Amino acid sequence: MSKIILHIDLNTFFVRCEELVNPTLIGKPVIIGHSGRGGIVSTCSYEARKYGVHSGQPTFKALELCPNAIVIPGHYELYSRKSKEFFNFVKQYSPIIEKASIDECYVDMTKQLSNVKDVVKYLEDFQNKLLQTIGLKCSIGVAPTKFLAKMASDMKKPMGITIIRRKDVRKMLDPLPISSFYGIGKKTAPRLEAIGIKTIGDLAKLVNEDNLEVKNAFGKFYYVIKDWINGYGSDEVDVEPWDPKSIGHSTTFIRDSSDFEEIKGYLRDLSKEVSDEAKQKDKIGSNVQLVLKTNDFKMINRSVKLNKPTNDFETIFNEASILLEKNLNGQEIRLCGVTLQNLIYASDYVEQLSIFDNFDENDEKNATRDLIRELNRRMKSETFMRASDILKEKKHGR
DNA sequence: TCTGGGGTCCTAGGACCC
DNA sequence: TCTGGGGTCCTAGGACCC
C-alpha cells in the first residue's frame, strides 16, 4: 500500500519572520540579503518578486529593478528559533518527520490521513493553525513518494495544497519545464533542452524508452530518475536528526588579494570559527580542506588527510596555511574558506582509543605502510642493480 | 557594482597493493 | 619485449540544493 507523504514548505520564511517582528513590513517589497560587496538576495517577499527580484540575484541589481525595496541583512538566530517552533508544531501531527532544511520537511502521515475523508480540509486546518499559533504560512504537497510531495508543494504558493496521486503523475508532471525537476539544475537543464527535452513529459518518454543518450547523461542518477518520474522511489521519511559530515566557513574579501599574509589572516579567523563550531558540536575531522575562488570565479579545492582526527585550531590553521602556500601562485583571489571534513564524534574516538589502550591505529597503520613502501623501493632498486650487473657481465663477456 | 555561504553527493584519475 | 585486473584510498572537481 502506498504511503501518504507530505512535503511542507514555509512560504518566504525569512521575510515572514521579519514581518512578525516588524508588521509594518507586511505588503511591502522586502529583500533579505547583504547590500555590500558581492551581496546577493537570499530571499524576498512576493511584492519584490513582482519587479523581477529573485534569490541569487546581486542585491544592487535587485535594487535597480525595485528601488523601493527594503533590504534586511538577515537575523539567523530569529529564523533558527522560528524554525524550531515550526518543527515542534508539525510533530504534534506525526512523529515521523524529516527536516530537509531550515524551512521545509517531509512528514509520513499515512496513519493519520488514511481514514480522513476530506484531506484538503484537514490540511487547510493545519495551515490555519500554523498561521494562528506560530505566524507562519506554508505550502503542502501530498503524494506517495518524497520526490512527488516535493514537486507538489512547489506547484501552489503561498498557502497551497497539492495532491499528486500515482495515477495522475503523467498528467501533473509532464507539462512542467525540465528545469523544475528536483535534481536537474542549471547545468543539466540546458544540456537536456539542447537535445529536445523541454518538459518533464519529454524526459519521461525517453527514459521509458531507455534512451541511451539520456542514460549516459545521468549516470547513477538515471535509475533514480526513472523511478521518480513514474511515481516510485523513496517514501522513507528519515527521522534521524541531522548529523553534519563537514563544518566549513568561507568569506569573500573586501577586495581581491594575492597576498599570502593577507589571505592567511582570513584563514586564521575562519579556522578559529571552524574549530570552535566543531568543539561546540563535539566533532573531530580527519580532513582539512582549503577553498579558494579566483577573481574569474574558478574554484580551487585542496585538501589533506591528517593522521588522526582533530578539532584543534592550530592544526586546522597550519594545514590550511600549508595548502595556501602550495597553491597560491600570484592569482587574484576573491574568497577563501576552510572546511573540516570526515567528521566523527569526539566521544566515539575516545572510546576507540580506550579499547586499544591508547594504541593509535592510524599512526601504526601509516608507519607500517611507509615501511612496506620503503622496502618495496629497496627491493626494486636491488633487483634492478642486479639485473644491470648481469647485463654488464654479459656485455663484457664475463 | 556583476555573481554568498552553508552543505551533500557523485565521478574520475592516480597511487598503491595483491 | 611487453605490459593484467580487481580493489582501496586519496584528491580534485563538479553539480545540486536551500
Side-chain angles (χ1 to χ4, degrees), chain A residues 247-249 264-280 311-318 320 338-340:
Chain A
I247 293 172
H249 288 283
K264 199 172 159 184
Y266 285 108
L267 289 186
R268 180 188 300 276
D269 295 344
L270 293 164
S271 301
K272 185 80 174 74
E273 286 176 42
V274 168
S275 165
D276 286 349
E277 192 180 330
K279 282 173 184 163
Q280 185 247 321
N311 55 19
D312 173 58
F313 159 70
E314 291 291 342
T315 310
I316 297 168
F317 176 50
N318 270 339
V338 178
T339 302
L340 188 63

Side-chain angles (χ1 to χ4, degrees), chain A residues 14 48 137 179 204 215 222 228 236 257 318 340 346 383 393 396 398:
Chain A
F14 294 174
K137 297 180 182 180
S179 57
K215 209 168 176 170
Y222 175 81
W228 281 4
E236 293 298 324
S257 173
N318 270 339
L340 188 63
T383 314
E393 282 178 17
H396 293 265
R398 271 183 271 168

Side-chain angles (χ1 to χ4, degrees), chain A residues 86-148:
Chain A
F86 163 61
F87 291 125
N88 285 336
F89 177 86
V90 178
K91 274 180 202 155
Q92 297 172 357
Y93 287 78
S94 167
I96 312 175
I97 165 173
E98 174 181 337
K99 296 177 194 181
S101 76
I102 192 165
D103 65 351
E104 59 180 313
C105 62
Y106 296 94
V107 196
D108 187 332
M109 296 272 275
T110 311
K111 216 169 100 190
Q112 292 79 0
L113 288 177
S114 289
N115 297 313
V116 171
K117 282 237 169 62
D118 193 342
V119 170
V120 173
K121 173 80 178 50
Y122 180 100
L123 294 176
E124 275 172 358
D125 280 352
F126 173 96
Q127 286 177 321
N128 290 329
K129 278 199 190 108
L130 177 65
L131 184 57
Q132 281 156 22
T133 58
I134 319 275
L136 299 174
K137 297 180 182 180
C138 70
S139 289
I140 303 175
V142 187
T145 69
K146 291 206 284 187
F147 167 74
L148 287 179

Side-chain angles (χ1 to χ4, degrees), chain A residues 37 251-270 292 317 321 324 328 331-334 336:
Chain A
R37 183 185 193 225
T251 189
T252 297
F253 310 150
I254 298 159
R255 53 184 168 78
D256 295 351
S257 173
S258 58
D259 182 68
F260 175 71
E261 288 303 326
E262 188 181 352
I263 299 174
K264 199 172 159 184
Y266 285 108
L267 289 186
R268 180 188 300 276
D269 295 344
L270 293 164
L292 299 174
F317 176 50
S321 301
L324 178 68
L328 193 67
Q331 271 264 46
E332 286 289 319
I333 304 296
R334 67 173 281 127
C336 72

Side-chain angles (χ1 to χ4, degrees), chain A residues 7 11 36 80 82 119-120 143 153 162 211 265 286 290 313 324 341 344 364-365:
Chain A
H7 181 260
N11 304 131
S80 165
K82 291 306 282 185
V119 170
V120 173
S153 72
T162 307
N211 179 284
S286 55
L290 168 75
F313 159 70
L324 178 68
Q341 302 172 310
I344 56 169
E364 185 69 15
K365 246 194 221 136

Side-chain angles (χ1 to χ4, degrees), chain A residues 126-184:
Chain A
F126 173 96
Q127 286 177 321
N128 290 329
K129 278 199 190 108
L130 177 65
L131 184 57
Q132 281 156 22
T133 58
I134 319 275
L136 299 174
K137 297 180 182 180
C138 70
S139 289
I140 303 175
V142 187
T145 69
K146 291 206 284 187
F147 167 74
L148 287 179
K150 168 89 182 160
M151 295 296 291
S153 72
D154 226 27
M155 290 180 181
K156 269 180 240 153
K157 286 177 175 180
M159 296 287 269
I161 295 168
T162 307
I163 300 173
I164 302 183
R165 292 177 180 82
R166 191 168 281 133
K167 65 180 171 61
D168 298 328
V169 162
R170 287 280 67 78
K171 186 177 76 189
M172 294 186 73
L173 286 189
D174 284 2
L176 300 176
I178 193 65
S179 57
S180 66
F181 196 103
Y182 179 75
I184 295 180

Side-chain angles (χ1 to χ4, degrees), chain A residues 315-358:
Chain A
T315 310
I316 297 168
F317 176 50
N318 270 339
E319 295 297 342
S321 301
I322 292 167
L323 289 171
L324 178 68
E325 197 167 12
K326 279 186 194 162
N327 291 285
L328 193 67
N329 36 31
Q331 271 264 46
E332 286 289 319
I333 304 296
R334 67 173 281 127
L335 164 147
C336 72
V338 178
T339 302
L340 188 63
Q341 302 172 310
N342 288 359
L343 296 180
I344 56 169
Y345 279 104
S347 42
D348 288 353
Y349 189 66
V350 172
E351 269 172 45
Q352 211 179 59
L353 279 180
S354 65
I355 290 170
F356 290 100
D357 198 20
N358 288 333

